[in-house]
Amino acid sequence: MNTAKALALHQSSIIFDGLVIAKWNRDLFEDMAKGGLTAANCTVSVWEGFKDTIDNITEFNQFFRDNSDLIMPVHTTSDIAKAKQQGKTGIILGFQNANAFEDQIGYVEIFKKLGVGVVQMAYNTQNLIGTGCYERDGGLSGFGREIVAEMNRVGIMCDLSHVGPQTSEEVILASTKPVCYSHCLPYGLKEHPRNKSDEELRFIAEHGGFIGVTMFAPFLKNGINSTVHDYIEAIDYVVDIAGEDCVGIGTDFTQGHDQQFFDMLTHDKGYARRLTDFGKIINPEGIRTLGEFPNLTAAMLQHGWSESKIKKIMGENWVRVLKDVWGE
């Protein structure tokens, strides 16, 4: 395969990652630069409430100051274009749980103004808005409907990756803007509570929604023995159902984290009952780190993808849908 062609294509494309939950530090930002990452949705809240999430954003503001040669905040899609132009990685602050809104609808707009562009409605379990994918699903609450409406109004994307099927369907129907599974895999390739059925993938696509495909190995068909080619098979599976215009990348990179971090993620509220056990965490061979992102573009070419399909799925689709959601 023509390596120079693959690299040139990667460098000329918008490379967008719909979900990164890595250990934030300069080493990580340098690896993002090495991978040619244009922009990413970066998690700053999972189980935290309002104050602790504010503290996390405060810490990220310090990262922006200390690493301004590598990263910059993203509030609009033109900031993504600017990041590409300047050779930096644009950071969209994101939540994997709406817990930080607590019971205050007014907090939605506060967080939008701080740079939060994507919020997942629930993380694995029940909250005030709806139900996660590891519990009996009670659907979207009345308060949840108000939160969806407010997120639509201020321009924050509703994410349903870890959300139960009933709540997801009700959010899709309640939202006047496109919603997403920012990081998911097809149940058709591996039966796992976090993976989405063909019906769920079709439903979100038919209602103008978006699907980011993750490479989190425990949810891939071949588990920790997966390669970048297994990941491409999963993307193609989703594209066959949803079409290539509403699919993108959402790696779920957890780079740099230790076992304590995974224990926090896999227990309800970060400390209560155990919800799941990932076992060994290792990314697919060929794209073990963010710095190896160019290998993904090369593998897509190897699989016979057209340049236009690669450009769309590597980033153009995400930018287009965010432009709509953010009301630009």
Side-chain angles (χ1 to χ4, degrees):
M1 195 199 65
N2 188 330
T3 315
K5 181 189 173 187
L7 196 57
L9 177 61
H10 189 80
Q11 288 169 344
S12 67
S13 302
I14 296 277
I15 309 295
F16 189 100
D17 195 334
L19 200 285
V20 180
I21 182 170
K23 175 82 176 154
W24 311 120
N25 54 35
R26 184 155 181 98
D27 287 349
L28 193 275
F29 303 138
E30 284 174 347
D31 212 40
M32 284 176 155
K34 183 185 169 191
L37 198 58
T38 312
N41 166 26
C42 297
T43 301
V44 291
S45 186
V46 181
W47 298 115
E48 293 91 338
F50 179 82
K51 186 192 177 300
D52 288 343
T53 300
I54 290 288
D55 289 344
N56 291 345
I57 294 173
T58 303
E59 181 187 38
F60 226 112
N61 283 341
Q62 188 66 49
F63 289 138
F64 285 132
R65 287 194 293 277
D66 295 345
N67 303 279
S68 59
D69 56 325
L70 294 171
I71 59 170
M72 59 174 275
V74 167
H75 292 264
T76 63
T77 55
S78 59
D79 289 334
I80 298 173
K82 199 183 295 178
K84 182 70 183 172
Q85 200 185 334
Q86 295 178 4
K88 296 179 184 179
T89 301
I91 305 288
I92 299 151
L93 302 179
F95 297 173
Q96 288 212 51
N97 199 341
N99 215 29
F101 296 152
E102 297 185 353
D103 59 0
Q104 300 296 315
I105 293 166
Y107 287 176
V108 177
E109 187 168 19
I110 297 289
F111 280 121
K112 171 67 178 178
K113 287 176 175 172
L114 296 178
V116 175
V118 183
V119 169
Q120 186 163 257
M121 310 316 289
Y123 187 77
N124 293 340
T125 59
Q126 183 74 44
N127 64 16
L128 295 177
I129 286 170
T131 314
C133 60
Y134 287 108
E135 284 199 86
R136 186 179 61 193
D137 193 343
L140 185 64
S141 69
F143 174 71
R145 287 179 186 280
E146 292 184 74
I147 289 287
V148 170
E150 181 66 356
M151 285 170 68
N152 287 166
R153 184 185 77 81
V154 305
I156 295 178
M157 192 170 203
C158 299
D159 184 0
L160 304 167
S161 306
H162 289 251
V163 178
Q166 187 63 35
T167 301
S168 294
E169 184 178 314
E170 291 176 15
V171 171
I172 292 164
L173 294 174
S175 181
T176 57
K177 290 285 187 181
V179 305
C180 70
Y181 296 129
S182 70
H183 57 299
C184 75
L185 278 164
Y187 194 84
L189 287 178
K190 178 155 187 181
E191 295 182 8
H192 191 284
R194 262 282 280 114
N195 291 350
K196 305 296 180 185
S197 69
D198 292 5
E199 293 71 31
E200 288 173 290
L201 295 169
R202 197 171 291 115
F203 190 81
I204 196 170
E206 284 171 352
H207 290 80
F210 194 83
I211 302 157
V213 184
T214 181
M215 60 173 69
F216 192 64
F219 308 154
L220 279 165
K221 187 175 75 177
N222 292 320
I224 58 166
N225 300 314
S226 299
T227 69
V228 67
H229 302 291
D230 293 299
Y231 180 45
I232 287 174
E233 177 193 20
I235 300 171
D236 265 330
Y237 185 100
V238 175
V239 167
D240 285 345
I241 290 169
E244 66 180 51
D245 291 329
C246 58
V247 178
I249 304 298
T251 63
D252 205 4
F253 262 116
T254 53
Q255 202 165 322
H257 280 303
D258 58 11
Q259 190 53 48
Q260 191 182 352
F261 172 80
F262 291 107
D263 287 343
M264 179 274 291
L265 284 186
T266 54
H267 285 77
D268 185 25
K269 313 291 182 282
Y271 66 85
R273 69 190 188 281
R274 177 176 279 288
L275 301 165
T276 185
D277 187 357
F278 296 140
K280 189 179 178 187
I281 308 279
I282 182 164
N283 281 331
E285 188 188 335
I287 186 159
R288 299 254 196 253
T289 63
L290 284 156
E292 290 185 295
F293 241 106
N295 294 350
L296 183 55
T297 302
M300 287 171 169
L301 278 171
Q302 238 177 308
H303 281 256
W305 285 24
S306 69
E307 289 197 12
S308 71
K309 179 179 174 181
I310 292 171
K311 279 180 174 281
K312 281 198 273 192
I313 286 169
M314 282 303 254
E316 285 176 3
N317 287 343
W318 263 120
V319 174
R320 190 192 69 250
V321 76
L322 287 171
K323 196 170 193 172
D324 183 359
V325 174
W326 292 349
E328 296 170 19

